[in-house]
Amino acid sequence: MITFIISAIITGAITGGLGRLLLPGRQDIGWIPTIFAGIVAALVGGLISHFLGFADRVWLGIVVQLILAVICVSIVANMQAKKKDSKH
């Protein structure tokens, strides 16, 4: 179980970081939301790959995960921006 958690954090950090790099512009979010966005993207991307039948094709799964990471990081960045705007 601990191995799963550690691997999810590492995969989330990598996936979230790459998604953040692929997203144009500056994202004003921290590293913890980036990791959580990456974890969500990796898990959902893995499920999508499995249900579409190409889980055995690693590169297609990675592409799906990266696309989802860009979407997740974008959503988190927009939520953070709205939160900052409402405080001012």
Side-chain angles (χ1 to χ4, degrees), residues 2-48:
I2 193 75
T3 306
F4 174 76
I5 293 170
I6 292 171
S7 65
I9 291 170
I10 292 170
T11 302
I14 293 169
T15 306
L18 288 173
R20 195 167 169 180
L21 286 173
L22 292 172
L23 187 63
R26 178 173 165 79
Q27 298 80 39
D28 194 20
I29 62 174
W31 58 275
I32 292 176
T34 301
I35 291 173
F36 281 128
I39 291 171
V40 169
L43 292 175
V44 173
L47 288 173
I48 290 173

Side-chain angles (χ1 to χ4, degrees), residues 40-59:
V40 169
L43 292 175
V44 173
L47 288 173
I48 290 173
S49 297
H50 176 73
F51 285 124
L52 292 178
F54 56 83
D56 57 336
R57 297 185 189 114
V58 176
W59 288 106

Side-chain angles (χ1 to χ4, degrees), residues 50-83:
H50 176 73
F51 285 124
L52 292 178
F54 56 83
D56 57 336
R57 297 185 189 114
V58 176
W59 288 106
L60 286 175
I62 291 172
V63 169
V64 170
Q65 290 175 359
L66 288 177
I67 291 169
L68 288 172
V70 169
I71 293 169
C72 288
V73 168
S74 175
I75 290 170
V76 171
N78 286 333
M79 289 172 44
Q80 292 284 337
K82 287 180 184 177
K83 189 187 233 184

